[in-house]
Amino acid sequence: RIARPALATQLLGVATLAACWQVSKGVQIDFEWTLVNITHSATGVPAPSAVRDALVLPSPLRSSLLLPPFSLLPGYTYALSLRAQMAADPSVFSEAQVALDVR
């Protein structure tokens, strides 16, 4: 996915209950966004720690993630992961990753 540094970037994860899930255990799904890595888009070389430290993930416990304008630096690819887990049993989870190529 391509992102522009001057624009806000919103990511949205969607989770549904598995058919085998026992509803009596509860239906609350917890979410957690994490930054997996940042690499230079052209070379794949890991970004310096200053670039990594500059990104603060707001509201990481929601299914949506809003990154404000100018929070992503051009020339880098940001890999983010979203984990969705059942509140009643955190061992039941799913994860997805997205890569943002900032141009």
Side-chain angles (χ1 to χ4, degrees), residues 4-88:
R4 303 285 181 208
L7 301 176
T9 300
Q10 184 168 17
L11 303 173
L12 176 63
V14 178
T16 58
L17 296 176
C20 61
W21 181 254
Q22 296 174 6
V23 177
S24 62
K25 290 184 177 181
V27 295
Q28 180 179 335
I29 301 173
D30 293 335
F31 297 91
E32 181 179 13
W33 285 96
T34 55
L35 178 62
V36 177
N37 64 32
I38 304 172
T39 56
H40 190 272
S41 297
T43 64
V45 173
S49 59
V51 172
R52 186 177 177 96
D53 295 343
L55 180 65
V56 177
L57 297 181
S59 60
L61 299 177
R62 297 176 181 228
S63 63
S64 64
L65 180 66
L66 180 61
L67 300 170
F70 303 107
S71 61
L72 302 173
L73 297 175
Y76 290 97
T77 298
Y78 294 74
L80 297 125
S81 176
L82 175 63
R83 179 183 174 110
Q85 65 187 29
M86 298 308 299

